[in-house]
Amino acid sequence: MRILATLLATIVAPCAAIAQPTLLVPERVFDGEAMHEGWQVLVDGETIRAVGPDLDAPADARTIAVPGTLLPGLIDGHSHLFLTSYALTDWDVQVAQESDAYRTARAVGYAEDALMAGFTTLRDLGTEGAGYADVGLKRAIDEGLVPGPRLLIATRALVATGAYPPIPVDRDGHVHVGAEEADGEELVRAVRRQMGGGADVIKFYADTNWRPGEGKVPSFSLDELTAGIATAKEGGRNVAVHARIPASMIRAARAGADTIEHGDMGNLEAFRVMAEEGTAYCPTVSVIDQITRFGGWDGSEPAPPVVANSRAAFAAALEAGVTMCVGSDVGAYPFGQNHLELELMVAYGMEAEDVLRAATSGNAAIFDLDDRGRIAPGLLADLIIVAGDPSARIEAIRDVRLVMKGGEIVRQD
């Protein structure tokens, strides 16, 4: 069998390497930094060969002309493939009652939904009780067994003991909680466990309310966060910190976090510290908007406090000059609707082209992904074409006409 496998590899590998070059001819190209009218993109194999006006394509190249705007594949910096919409199933029911096998099967479909919507990379920030199931899903996508975006996975994520529901439940032969509990010196060991288990990203939950009805407080000390984040950075891992209140946001920034997630109770002081420390902000405004709508708010009435606070925090982050990350927290609402984050960021005060930049080259820079996020020779051919001009009307990002991942067209309308 090994001899047969070797022969097959010898026969198939050269064929896979000889791919027909493709010349993409849209109306305009957003290269991750700026918009260019009349540009074209030549793709050869998995990468971009050339970009610019009036390219000389090889004689054997196929030409695909699609009206609209060509962009780098979008990057969603905060997603949860192992969750389903809270409008369908409560979070605690998903974590405590649904099996890992069921949640993984569902995640396969959600990964395809995200890819078809033009998101060619997802940073998936925790399986929420499904252990290391994201490691297997990432491998299946990478090996071409199932379609999906390139994944940056956080596996179990980390919480302080007692700080995260639900009560541990024994099913599938092991105990499930929403994230791995660890404190003090054990937090360093837990970071190493998760890196060894396959985590690309280390995620910490930095605040909690210890009892229902109590206000939120930090759950990790500054020393704990500093030690845990330093361990992750030594392992070459990006660090995301869930932090909603100013005190925990400031601790996370001082401790060296790459991004702070949510921050919807943040104030100008916290965002100024983030700007000073070079910590980026993933506001996840769309998940707050969508969950509030699940509760009956239709947008016609004045915004409820949770939405108003989210808008105010976003404005404060812009005022402080914080680097903005695009991360939707999709999973709590349906995959394939990740674009809602971009649309709300524009509605809340960012320029459309700045949001496009954040969702492509910006996120790539924050997450240390130097092979994508821009359209330039030598980079991965993760590309999308949308109808219209999303820099003029951000909603055009919804109308996806073509998706290419690694030089392979996975959607063409």
Side-chain angles (χ1 to χ4, degrees), residues 104-191:
T104 301
R106 189 173 59 200
V108 169
Y110 290 165
E112 183 174 9
D113 290 343
L115 180 61
M116 294 304 111
F119 289 82
T120 55
T121 297
L122 295 183
R123 192 172 66 148
D124 201 68
L125 292 185
T127 62
E128 305 283 332
Y132 291 91
D134 53 353
V135 177
L137 177 59
K138 177 180 176 177
R139 178 181 174 183
I141 291 172
D142 289 347
E143 293 181 357
L145 299 179
V146 297
R150 303 177 194 276
L151 297 184
L152 305 170
I153 55 173
T155 67
R156 300 177 64 191
L158 291 156
V159 292
T161 299
Y164 201 56
I167 296 171
V169 175
D170 187 357
R171 59 170 172 74
D172 294 342
H174 58 283
V175 175
H176 287 241
V177 290
E180 181 174 4
E181 295 183 326
D183 312 282
E185 293 182 1
E186 177 58 26
L187 188 62
V188 169
R189 287 190 285 271
V191 169

Side-chain angles (χ1 to χ4, degrees), residues 329-367:
D329 208 1
V330 65
Y333 68 90
F335 276 89
Q337 297 181 18
N338 313 54
H339 54 78
L340 292 174
E341 185 72 16
L342 285 74
E343 294 173 15
L344 278 179
M345 291 176 78
V346 172
Y348 286 6
M350 283 183 73
E351 295 295 327
E353 192 161 321
D354 289 338
V355 173
L356 295 177
R357 194 174 296 113
T360 54
S361 62
N363 273 1
I366 294 166
F367 307 150

